[in-house]
Amino acid sequence: MITLIKNKPILYFLLVLLLAVFLRFYGINWDGGCCMHPDERAIVMFSLPINFPANFADFFSPSSSLNPHFFNYGNFPLYLLKGVGSILSNVDPLYLSYQKINLVGRAISATADIGTLILIFLLAKKLFNQTIGLLSSFFYSVSVFPIQVSHFYAVDTLLTFFIILTLYQLTRFYENTSIKNALLTGVFFGFSLATKISAVHLVIPALLTITLDFILIFIKQPNKPHIWFPHVPRFLKQLIFNGVIIAISTIVTFVILQPYTIIDFQEFLRQTQQMSQVTYDAFAFPFTLQYVDKIPYLYELKNIFLWGQGPILAAFSFFGLMYISYFLIYSRPGGRQKHKTFNSSKINIKWKQKLILVVFSLTYFFVVGKFAVGFMRYMLPLYPLLCLFGGVFAYSYFIKPVLSLKNRIIKFLVFFLFIILILIWPFSFLSIYTKPNTRIQASDWINANIPKGKTLAVEHWDDSLPLSGQGNYKMEVLPLYDPDNPQKWTNINGQIATTDYIILASNRLYVPLQKLSDCIKLPPGKCYPITAKYYKDLFSGELGFEKVAEFTSFPTIPFTNIEINDQSADESFTVYDHPKIMIFKKQ
């Protein structure tokens, strides 16, 4: 303990680590074992049947019991979940059952995110200094969106961990282009791909790492081939040799972790092509209609700024990215100007390593931000790097000036206020885990206040309520995503005529469908004017139903009753762990 106190940076990092652990594991059973996250449910359902095949021949069969038959994500997260669940089942058999295996997954997810935090500390310390490492890891520990997704097992935290691990290894590989570092780069890249195929974007920083020296020579003297041409053979040799090693180790790792990509290639290709539709068509699935007319990039930036990090932390991050990008140009090797933040005895190496991170960040953002669909989780791999950039900016323009203050009291007060302001948003968000999930609250209310035998109308493509006790009621499912036509509304009107209560379990349908009412602008069969009027009449009371109950769980500023209404956030930010629920009764 004495050593820890003397070595304050280690103590500070341990405090950051403990804070991250608390924020990610607190309320991890937020849904009371109901497995309310749809992607988590899918992973659990496809993981549980996995077993080792009876013989070697069965292993190479597409119908093998080891084949999860699910390629929306990589197979490695499914195998990992089943493996860890099998080990923990020796303590409690329920950890290998539907009742509790999702908690195993959430613990894996939170642990992976803590691993990402450690990597960001190491990366920032390596490329900048220890103080920036502490700041970057602190910023990531309190970033709201990583905290939230750590409460789900939906592969995103695993993907982010392996992407950052690969980038970290690329910086090490650049320092020492050994066979070992090339192999490790490929292995980590393979893990990333076997977690989610979207990790393919790592190809760009990998190629940049191998060819950067030659690219810079060419850019510096593009019209003088006698200067750069003699370097071509050496860099071609390096590109081929190291590139082949990285490629082979990536492919081998990927195939070992996801063998049925090859064995069951047709199914892998079919599912991958199906899911790839979301990159260019917001009409691909009912649950992606919310993204029709999404403004690329601005939509992603808005969600990061307002919700994913919060305004203060996001401002540091955005300015940090611009700050580093500017000075990478301004202090480039061979340039006239250098900045003290980037100046070191190994300026050329560190400059190029930082360039790798910036190029990946910008490339990933401009490619993924262009997608027709903008789930917040798509941007999760950028959060650690944004926190690193934010740490650099905060250190340069806030921490260093404050440290230079001579008055210790003022210095303490400024730092105290800074930390409090940063902590307000994550602890406001954490308040949603201090009370039962809104769907649990609504289910309890339904079972206590609606007589048995009544007819409840729920919406398709959403969780039906009540979560338990549905057998006590007559359930009607309203197919509101179906194209507006006379037959649809003849059927729905017939259902509503016999319905006693209408239950909206989230904003998943009524928000996008009310926007899609202009049939002149929208493709044929993709507009919902009658559905939009249905919701308008329901909310106004003209449909003949009155709202009798509403359940919300907004982030609440600590020690106050001030709620932060986050209904304008991306649907995926609220719909899983704190959806707004409304119940209407026929009058």
Side-chain angles (χ1 to χ4, degrees):
M1 182 61 69
I2 295 175
T3 304
L4 286 178
I5 294 174
K6 288 182 178 179
N7 197 344
K8 287 185 179 180
I10 296 178
L11 177 60
Y12 292 151
F13 180 68
L14 288 177
L15 290 174
V16 169
L17 204 57
L18 288 173
L19 176 63
V21 170
F22 170 75
L23 292 173
R24 282 151 180 78
F25 280 90
Y26 180 82
I28 200 165
N29 191 18
W30 50 270
D31 56 354
C34 294
C35 209
M36 291 185 197
H37 193 293
D39 298 313
E40 184 180 80
R41 281 199 300 263
I43 292 172
V44 166
M45 288 188 292
F46 283 99
S47 295
L48 286 172
I50 292 174
N51 285 297
F52 282 107
N55 54 63
F56 195 69
D58 287 345
F59 174 86
F60 290 98
S61 170
S63 60
S64 170
S65 58
L66 195 61
N67 183 2
H69 305 285
F70 182 70
F71 299 101
N72 290 355
Y73 299 124
N75 288 169
F76 170 69
L78 281 70
Y79 294 138
L80 179 63
L81 178 62
K82 183 62 182 284
V84 176
S86 298
I87 294 171
L88 293 179
S89 67
N90 295 314
V91 178
D92 183 350
L94 289 179
Y95 284 128
L96 198 56
S97 68
Y98 188 82
Q99 288 89 331
K100 280 192 175 182
I101 195 171
N102 67 314
L103 297 182
V104 176
R106 292 175 188 179
I108 294 172
S109 182
T111 302
D113 204 51
I114 292 166
T116 299
L117 181 146
I118 295 172
L119 286 172
I120 283 299
F121 171 76
L122 295 174
L123 195 54
K125 180 183 175 183
K126 180 183 184 68
L127 300 187
F128 297 97
N129 59 54
Q130 190 164 246
T131 303
I132 291 177
L134 287 170
L135 271 173
S136 303
S137 58
F138 171 65
F139 286 171
Y140 190 71
S141 74
V142 298
S143 290
V144 168
F145 191 58
I147 294 171
Q148 184 187 50
V149 293
S150 294
H151 285 73
F152 314 142
Y153 190 62
V155 318
D156 303 290
T157 53
L158 276 174
L159 174 67
T160 300
F161 171 76
F162 286 117
I163 284 178
I164 301 301
L165 181 60
T166 305
L167 290 172
Y168 179 71
Q169 180 58 31
L170 281 171
T171 64
R172 297 184 66 217
F173 172 74
Y174 187 82
E175 289 179 350
N176 180 10
T177 55
S178 65
I179 294 177
K180 174 186 174 182
N181 281 333
L183 284 171
L184 286 175
T185 299
V187 168
F188 297 151
F189 192 4
F191 269 90
S192 302
L193 290 171
T195 300
K196 196 173 182 181
I197 202 68
S198 60
V200 70
H201 297 100
L202 284 168
V203 167
I204 293 173
L207 286 174
L208 181 65
T209 303
I210 299 173
T211 60
L212 183 56
D213 286 333
F214 177 72
I215 291 173
L216 290 173
I217 293 174
F218 179 78
I219 290 175
K220 187 176 179 181
Q221 303 287 350
N223 299 319
K224 297 180 179 180
H226 64 281
I227 293 177
W228 54 261
F229 187 77
H231 297 277
V232 170
R234 178 169 61 89
F235 283 111
L236 281 178
K237 180 181 178 181
Q238 180 177 315
L239 174 63
I240 295 171
F241 182 74
N242 292 316
V244 167
I245 292 176
I246 292 174
I248 291 176
S249 56
T250 298
I251 294 170
V252 170
T253 303
F254 176 73
V255 171
I256 291 174
L257 297 174
Q258 190 163 313
Y260 294 95
T261 295
I262 307 299
I263 299 170
D264 195 7
F265 179 74
Q266 290 302 318
E267 182 61 19
F268 165 76
L269 185 62
R270 185 189 70 80
Q271 292 188 32
T272 301
Q273 289 176 337
Q274 183 183 48
M275 292 306 298
S276 68
Q277 292 180 54
V278 301
T279 64
Y280 57 85
D281 183 10
F283 292 100
F285 302 99
F287 54 83
T288 60
L289 290 177
Q290 60 178 303
Y291 297 109
V292 173
D293 292 331
K294 174 181 85 75
I295 302 175
Y297 312 124
L298 184 61
Y299 185 85
E300 285 73 19
L301 290 174
K302 180 200 77 171
N303 279 291
I304 293 172
F305 183 82
L306 292 178
W307 314 113
Q309 286 190 303
I312 296 175
L313 189 51
F316 277 122
S317 297
F318 295 163
F319 281 120
L321 176 56
M322 291 186 287
Y323 171 74
I324 292 180
S325 300
Y326 172 75
F327 280 106
L328 280 176
I329 298 172
Y330 191 64
S331 63
R332 64 191 181 276
R336 294 182 178 180
Q337 302 293 333
K338 294 181 181 179
H339 191 267
K340 56 188 175 182
T341 304
F342 297 86
N343 200 12
S344 71
S345 59
K346 297 181 179 179
I347 180 68
N348 287 356
I349 292 178
K350 289 185 178 294
W351 184 92
K352 295 165 188 175
Q353 290 170 321
K354 293 163 191 171
L355 181 65
I356 292 168
L357 300 185
V358 171
V359 167
F360 171 78
S361 300
L362 295 176
T363 302
Y364 186 91
F365 176 76
F366 283 110
V367 171
V368 177
K370 181 64 176 176
F371 286 178
V373 169
F375 288 114
M376 281 182 68
R377 64 177 180 269
Y378 288 176
M379 287 292 154
L380 184 63
L382 291 185
Y383 278 73
L385 298 173
L386 286 173
C387 290
L388 189 154
F389 302 145
V392 174
F393 186 80
Y395 173 78
S396 300
Y397 286 94
F398 178 76
I399 300 299
K400 288 181 72 175
V402 173
L403 287 174
S404 65
L405 294 175
K406 295 181 179 180
N407 191 312
R408 291 186 177 182
I409 296 177
I410 294 177
K411 186 187 300 185
F412 172 80
L413 290 175
V414 171
F415 277 125
F416 179 77
L417 181 62
F418 170 73
I419 292 173
I420 292 299
L421 289 174
I422 293 294
L423 290 177
I424 285 176
W425 185 209
F427 277 93
S428 298
F429 172 81
L430 206 67
S431 66
I432 68 172
Y433 297 131
T434 63
K435 45 188 174 266
N437 180 271
T438 49
R439 285 194 171 121
I440 294 176
Q441 295 180 46
S443 297
D444 292 342
W445 187 92
I446 291 168
N447 288 318
N449 294 278
I450 299 180
K452 296 179 181 179
K454 293 293 185 179
T455 300
L456 312 182
V458 297
E459 300 178 317
H460 68 169
W461 288 92
D462 205 349
D463 289 81
S464 296
L465 298 179
L467 296 171
S468 61
Q470 288 190 21
N472 297 324
Y473 304 99
K474 298 176 183 177
M475 306 297 295
E476 291 283 349
V477 180
L478 305 180
L480 291 160
Y481 273 137
D482 288 357
D484 269 1
N485 56 52
Q487 185 60 49
K488 167 186 172 178
W489 284 102
T490 297
N491 295 337
I492 290 180
N493 288 333
Q495 291 175 297
I496 292 174
T498 62
T499 290
D500 299 301
Y501 292 84
I502 294 176
I503 301 173
L504 306 185
S506 73
N507 62 356
R508 179 171 286 163
L509 281 80
Y510 69 79
V511 168
L513 295 184
Q514 289 186 93
K515 295 178 181 178
L516 303 176
S517 58
D518 190 343
C519 295
I520 296 177
K521 295 181 179 179
L522 294 167
K526 301 296 185 180
C527 62
Y528 295 84
I530 305 175
T531 305
K533 185 178 185 305
Y534 157 79
Y535 281 117
K536 180 180 178 181
D537 292 345
L538 175 63
F539 296 144
S540 68
E542 294 183 22
L543 193 66
F545 287 79
E546 179 186 5
K547 185 166 66 175
V548 293
E550 180 176 298
F551 303 89
T552 59
S553 181
F554 296 126
T556 305
I557 296 176
F559 308 112
T560 73
N561 292 321
I562 302 174
E563 294 183 333
I564 303 171
N565 190 328
D566 57 358
Q567 287 297 293
S568 64
D570 181 78
E571 174 205 280
S572 63
F573 186 69
T574 62
V575 74
Y576 306 131
D577 54 11
H578 61 292
K580 178 180 177 179
I581 297 168
M582 293 180 283
I583 301 175
F584 298 83
K585 179 181 179 181
K586 180 177 284 183
Q587 299 301 304

